[in-house]
């Protein structure tokens, strides 16, 4: 979970991505520009009821400001699962930000706005407010203040919304949505990736696919040379790397079996079996990001074999 948070923060920390997320999902208009953003603190301190001073950490925050004043503090919290007490957590984050304004004796009080991004395959329908988690007697409800939160389900964003993103977050939103639907095909996503390492690391962590580790150096080197990097580049490098590993493993197995069997055909049989198994391993690693048809074509396996790996 901690590693997921780090990769999310890495990508969202870029101002163009941060502004894009807010403009498309929250404001639904081009309200803020990346040059109007300034890095905010992700750590705040507060005094607990028992008198101890405690730390609290946001995932990502930035000040939205004009040349003279802070207009707002914008924060993003990332979730990999639906959390029942999220409204209370957001209340805590927002309170400490307001408290910091008081302690710093800010001349002008500015609003604090927190957005929650849900990256799970479970749609977050509730809780969306304090009322959703409190058991309030009917006669007391008029006297209890509600607290609403802004939650967006990344893997459920409609295509119309995803097409409005101008930053690398479109690539991420397309990946999570189409992966959930089982229709992801990188060949259909030819958008150039600007923050290559951040996007690669984020997808690597959420797919738990170690093949991304193996292609990272090659991808970053291509990017440094000025090559255009897309999701198709990721898929091609993953396939090539997987097949190379399979070939090497096949030769190794073939040599071992050839010696064991003591026949001239031993190496050939071992190579074939080893390569077949490694192709299956490569295909299995690609299940979370590619469709069955694309995997079958790239790894050179029968489509029915690929489909059987999902069962």
């Amino acid at each position: 979970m901690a590693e997921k948070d780090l990769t999310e923060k890495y990508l969202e920390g870029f101002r163009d991505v941060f502004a894009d997320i807010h403009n498309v999902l929250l404001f639904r208009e081009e309200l803020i520009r990346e040059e109007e953003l300034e890095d905010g603190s992700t750590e705040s301190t507060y005094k607990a009821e028992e008198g101890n001073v405690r730390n609290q950490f946001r995932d990502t925050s930035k000040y939205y400001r004009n040349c003279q004043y802070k207009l707002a503090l914008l924060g993003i919290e990332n979730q990999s699962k639906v959390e029942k007490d999220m409204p209370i957590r957001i209340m805590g984050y927002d309170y400490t930000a307001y408290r910091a304004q008081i302690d710093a004796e800010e001349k002008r009080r500015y609003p604090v706005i927190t957005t929650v991004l849900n990256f799970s395959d479970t749609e977050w329908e509730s809780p969306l407010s304090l009322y959703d988690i409190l058991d309030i007697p009917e006669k007391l409800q008029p006297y209890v203040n509600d607290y609403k939160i802004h939650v967006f389900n990344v893997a459920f964003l409609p295509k119309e919304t995803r097409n409005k993103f101008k930053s690398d977050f479109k690539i991420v939103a397309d990946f999570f949505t189409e992966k959930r639907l089982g229709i992801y095909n990188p060949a259909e996503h030819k958008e150039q990736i600007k923050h290559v390492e951040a996007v690669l690391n984020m997808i690597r962590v959420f797919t738990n696919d170690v093949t991304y580790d193996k292609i990272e150096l090659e991808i970053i080197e291509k990017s440094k040379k000025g090559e255009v990097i897309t999701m198709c580049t990721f898929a091609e490098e993953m396939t090539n790397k997987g097949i190379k590993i399979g070939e090497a493993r096949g030769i190794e197995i073939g040599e071992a079996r050839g010696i064991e069997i003591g026949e001239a055909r031993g190496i050939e049989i071992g190579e074939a079996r080893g390569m077949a198994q490694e192709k299956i391993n490569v295909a299995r690693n690609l299940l979370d990001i590619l469709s069955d048809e694309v995997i079958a074509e790239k790894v050179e396996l029968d489509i029915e074999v690929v489909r059987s790996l999902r069962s």
Side-chain angles (χ1 to χ4, degrees), residues 171 175 184 186 193 195-204 211-212 215-216 219-220 222-223 228-241 286 289-290 298:
I171 296 165
F175 175 82
Y184 189 74
I193 302 173
H195 307 296
V196 175
E197 187 176 2
V199 172
L200 187 149
N201 282 330
M202 187 173 194
I203 294 175
R204 172 183 61 81
T211 314
Y212 281 102
I215 69 169
E216 184 173 4
I219 292 292
I220 293 175
K222 285 176 180 284
S223 178
V228 174
I229 305 298
T230 67
M231 286 303 297
C232 197
T233 312
F234 283 13
E236 288 173 357
E237 284 294 327
M238 287 179 71
T239 304
N240 291 339
K241 179 68 72 172
L286 297 172
I289 63 170
L290 302 178
K298 287 186 173 292

Side-chain angles (χ1 to χ4, degrees), residues 144-294:
V144 178
N145 290 326
D146 199 5
Y147 201 88
K148 298 179 181 180
I149 61 175
H150 311 286
V151 179
F152 298 96
N153 300 295
V154 178
F156 292 82
L157 295 175
K159 191 174 184 64
E160 180 183 359
T161 299
R162 287 181 275 129
N163 285 341
K164 293 178 181 178
F165 288 114
K166 298 178 180 179
S167 70
D168 285 349
F169 200 77
K170 179 185 186 304
I171 296 165
V172 171
D174 282 340
F175 175 82
F176 277 94
T177 301
E178 295 180 10
K179 180 175 76 72
R180 178 183 63 82
L181 296 172
I183 60 172
Y184 189 74
N185 183 353
E188 297 177 359
H189 297 276
K190 302 185 184 298
E191 304 96 338
Q192 181 175 359
I193 302 173
K194 180 178 179 182
H195 307 296
V196 175
E197 187 176 2
V199 172
L200 187 149
N201 282 330
M202 187 173 194
I203 294 175
R204 172 183 61 81
V205 170
F206 274 91
T207 58
N208 294 315
D209 191 342
V210 297
T211 314
Y212 281 102
D213 286 329
K214 297 167 185 171
I215 69 169
E216 184 173 4
L217 292 179
E218 287 88 342
I219 292 292
I220 293 175
E221 190 61 31
K222 285 176 180 284
S223 178
K224 288 179 179 178
K225 291 179 180 178
E227 292 187 33
V228 174
I229 305 298
T230 67
M231 286 303 297
C232 197
T233 312
F234 283 13
E236 288 173 357
E237 284 294 327
M238 287 179 71
T239 304
N240 291 339
K241 179 68 72 172
I243 290 174
K244 286 177 185 176
I245 293 171
E247 289 173 350
R249 181 67 178 150
I251 293 171
E252 179 185 331
I253 293 172
E255 289 175 347
R257 290 185 177 172
I259 292 170
E260 274 179 24
I261 299 171
E263 298 177 353
R265 294 275 300 165
I267 294 177
E268 182 182 338
I269 293 169
E271 286 178 355
R273 289 177 179 172
M275 288 178 65
Q277 183 58 51
E278 287 302 325
K279 281 188 176 183
I280 289 174
N281 291 342
V282 171
R284 187 175 285 113
N285 285 337
L286 297 172
L287 290 176
D288 281 340
I289 63 170
L290 302 178
S291 66
D292 293 347
E293 291 75 13
V294 175

